[in-house]
Amino acid sequence: MLPDAFRDNSSAAALENWDPSAIVGGKRTFNETTLEIAPGKILAVCGYLKRDLQFARLSSITAVDWYPAEPRFEIVYHLHSLARSERLRLKCRLPEAAPEIDSVTGVWQGANWYEREVFDLFGVRFREHPDQRRIMMPDDWEGHPLRKDYPTHGFKYSYKDE
Amino acid sequence: MSDPSITDPAAIVEASASAHPRRMTLNMGPQHPSTHGVLRVVVELEGETVRRAIPDIGFLHTGIEKQFEALDYQQGVTLTDRVDYLANLSNNLCYALAVEKLLGLEIPPRAQWMRVLLVELTRLNSHLVWLGTQALDIGAMSVFLYCFREREDLLRIFEMFSGQRMMTSYIRIGGLALEPPRGWQEAVSRFIKAFPSNVDQYEDLLTKNPIWLRRTRGVGHVPLDVLVDLGVTGPVLRACGLNWDIRKTEPYSSYEKFDFEVPTRTEGDVYARYQVRLAEMRQSARIVEQALAGMPEGAWRADAPHVLLPDREKMKTQMEALIYHFKIVTEGFGVPAGEYYQAIESPRGELAYYVVSDGTAKPYRVFMRTPSFGNLQALPAMTEGRLVADTIASMGSLDFVLGDVDR
């Protein structure tokens, strides 16, 4: 359901009109529009926004870890329409047990590396991603450093007894 | 063509050697001068033609985003310097703007204009390094020496302001780090008066140079819609005909008060990118001149005692100032819960900081949308099916900084 504050936002209203069940929440802060999208619909929503609402650019994809809250992961998409100079933020909340979401590389090729980065640093999997590998950390790295329960300091091995 | 589903560099080498005995897989980098840092590109060659190019990044990943979460907001400014080490002040500015938005701080006009002046000097600095190294890669050695001559003057100006040549941290949350030093106007105006004739010198060396033309014209062209789809921003897009500059479309820090043009070209090749960046240097010089001429008087930082440290003198005489000082130093300042995505036009393209606050004195999450990361994704599209020598020219024209890519 679209919150009433968005009735005057044409992009949000058009999206609501196109699929009433896609938007599960949203807010407007500092002149920025944030829409929360049902995780299962993200691919279709992005396709629609690019095709019909001229959001030609994907500025970035990132994630926020709200550990220990549930659903834990928040995937954040920043879209930009060059034609209208309008920005839009989409969010999807994913549970800790199954952090998986459809890849949007089919909509914007540029999503490739951003999704790899989220996979590498947060451990969120992107279904149908053409190249799901670590991008920043070495291939044999264990853990996902940007998760909140990943330690910021300390050593993996203790050398005390040697 | 080797199997496109194999993307792991080690696997490519193996698969390629068995499937195509005439094909050679070459590691360009991570220690290769033309990669401008530690980028590794696995290129599959057939004779002189690049069949595949796969960038392998992460060698310079230092976990800056993670470090942000352990420092308080003002300390985080020092990290932003180290992201794009050729455009430190642009990164300082972008981060400061995002946090100031969350804090609801009003920045006085003098600080805003000062910031514009400094980030435009940063743009000159960054473009000078780009021009020098790009020319060096292609084989025009002397341009490098000319560019670094001017860059040295710029670094001296930055040192004059902040005490540091590169890691300036001069733009802080709430304004500037220090009062602008005595004599800064003379130093900047001496530099900027001479600058246009210096650009003429670079143009004399390159613009009609037949070798330069042959190495850059028609090289690395990719259609505009593909570039936009890949997430490319900045001068590379403008060289392809798109008139988009965040300073114009979403002005920040009072850019709307400055008169400048957004140079564009339509050819979309390496030469067009060169022309766009040179024209941008001239426009930046114009902005700096306007900022010098119209610099408003007044405060150089915001009136926000809960965010900014008090004057030393006040601290010794006023109880309130002492308390604020103690609180800011020991626990930092809280930022109201919220999130903001601040995009600015850095020398390389769209630079954005996404800051998420949970109300405490340390950021909950800071994400940097760096222009180099987005631009580098276009490297395969720019090089595949073309000559290996042109890879160097295309790579240089993307103007990435590996610190900016890997963070």
Side-chain angles (χ1 to χ4, degrees), chain A residues 44-92:
Chain A
V45 165
C46 285
Y48 170 74
L49 288 172
K50 186 189 181 191
R51 196 177 57 245
D52 293 348
L53 294 183
Q54 296 176 296
F55 282 98
R57 277 191 70 235
L58 173 75
S59 183
S60 61
I61 301 176
T62 185
V64 182
D65 179 9
W66 290 104
Y67 178 79
E70 270 295 328
R72 176 173 174 179
F73 297 105
E74 196 173 68
I75 313 294
V76 188
Y77 301 78
H78 285 101
L79 275 49
H80 181 216
S81 160
L82 287 166
R84 289 186 313 256
S85 188
E86 180 187 333
R87 286 178 192 271
L88 181 66
R89 181 187 300 135
L90 305 181
K91 281 185 176 179
C92 290

Side-chain angles (χ1 to χ4, degrees), chain A residues 57 62-63 65 87 117 131, chain B residues 7 250 350 364-365 407:
Chain A
R57 277 191 70 235
T62 185
D65 179 9
R87 286 178 192 271
E117 190 185 302
D131 186 17
Chain B
T7 48
E250 296 154 87
E350 184 196 44
Y364 191 78
R365 170 101 172 94
R407 289 163 282 147

Side-chain angles (χ1 to χ4, degrees), chain A residues 58 60-65 73-77 92 94 99-102 104 111-126 129 131-137 143-147, chain B residues 61 65 365 367 373 407:
Chain A
L58 173 75
S60 61
I61 301 176
T62 185
V64 182
D65 179 9
F73 297 105
E74 196 173 68
I75 313 294
V76 188
Y77 301 78
C92 290
L94 302 178
E100 261 200 10
I101 192 164
D102 286 330
V104 296
N112 190 328
W113 282 16
Y114 289 104
E115 291 184 341
R116 274 179 69 188
E117 190 185 302
V118 173
F119 164 70
D120 185 0
L121 303 179
F122 286 92
V124 173
R125 301 199 76 86
F126 290 87
H129 190 284
D131 186 17
Q132 185 110 273
R133 284 184 297 128
R134 285 189 181 269
I135 188 165
M136 296 295 178
M137 309 305 287
H144 303 286
L146 274 181
R147 287 188 171 193
Chain B
H61 180 65
E65 291 175 9
R365 170 101 172 94
F367 168 71
F373 187 80
R407 289 163 282 147

Side-chain angles (χ1 to χ4, degrees), chain B residues 41-277:
Chain B
V41 187
V42 182
V43 283
E44 213 179 302
L45 295 176
E46 197 171 272
E48 285 280 294
T49 312
V50 176
R51 286 295 162 212
R52 280 185 87 186
I54 294 165
D56 184 14
I57 64 170
F59 293 93
L60 213 57
H61 180 65
T62 46
I64 288 180
E65 291 175 9
K66 185 80 174 172
Q67 291 179 57
F68 263 110
E69 295 169 11
L71 298 177
D72 66 39
Y73 279 92
Q74 199 70 279
Q75 288 173 330
V77 174
T78 57
L79 291 176
T80 63
D81 283 321
R82 286 150 178 86
V83 180
D84 181 348
Y85 40 77
L86 295 179
N88 324 82
L89 285 153
S90 304
N91 281 270
N92 292 168
L93 175 66
C94 192
Y95 174 66
L97 285 174
V99 179
E100 282 158 7
K101 192 80 174 184
L102 289 171
L103 279 167
L105 283 190
E106 189 84 26
I107 304 303
R110 184 178 172 80
Q112 291 196 15
W113 281 55
M114 210 68 212
R115 287 172 167 193
V116 168
L117 182 137
L118 287 164
V119 295
E120 289 308 321
L121 289 177
T122 305
R123 192 180 312 278
L124 293 179
N125 174 26
S126 170
H127 281 7
L128 282 171
V129 175
W130 160 79
L131 179 62
T133 51
Q134 162 107 66
L136 193 63
D137 288 348
I138 298 184
M141 173 128 191
S142 44
V143 185
F144 181 82
L145 303 172
Y146 283 88
C147 290
F148 270 59
R149 179 187 65 187
E150 269 74 68
R151 182 177 183 242
E152 185 59 31
D153 295 341
L154 274 172
L155 292 183
R156 291 230 170 94
I157 291 175
F158 292 149
E159 188 179 12
M160 185 177 182
F161 273 97
S162 66
Q164 289 280 331
R165 286 158 61 85
M166 285 175 80
M167 304 301 159
T168 53
S169 295
Y170 187 65
I171 297 176
R172 299 270 174 95
I173 296 158
L176 307 173
L178 300 159
E179 192 173 354
R182 214 175 296 145
W184 70 268
Q185 288 102 331
E186 291 74 44
V188 175
S189 80
R190 202 178 318 126
F191 173 81
I192 216 69
K193 282 218 174 69
F195 191 74
S197 72
N198 292 326
V199 182
D200 293 340
Q201 282 185 0
Y202 317 143
E203 291 226 49
D204 284 346
L205 285 166
L206 292 175
T207 303
K208 287 182 184 151
N209 180 334
I211 305 174
W212 178 258
L213 286 171
R214 281 205 198 165
R215 289 298 308 275
T216 57
R217 271 216 178 139
V219 172
H221 176 269
V222 176
L224 178 62
D225 53 333
V226 178
L227 287 179
V228 171
D229 202 44
L230 280 165
V232 174
T233 51
V236 182
L237 276 192
R238 290 194 282 275
C240 227
L242 184 70
N243 187 341
W244 172 52
D245 187 314
I246 300 175
R247 291 175 293 173
K248 286 280 188 198
T249 55
E250 296 154 87
Y252 49 90
S253 200
S254 54
Y255 261 110
E256 67 279 2
K257 299 199 177 96
F258 291 86
D259 175 33
F260 64 99
E261 282 151 30
V262 180
T264 54
R265 289 284 181 286
T266 50
E267 297 86 353
D269 54 5
V270 176
Y271 189 68
R273 288 168 208 152
Y274 156 78
Q275 287 178 306
V276 163
R277 288 204 179 92

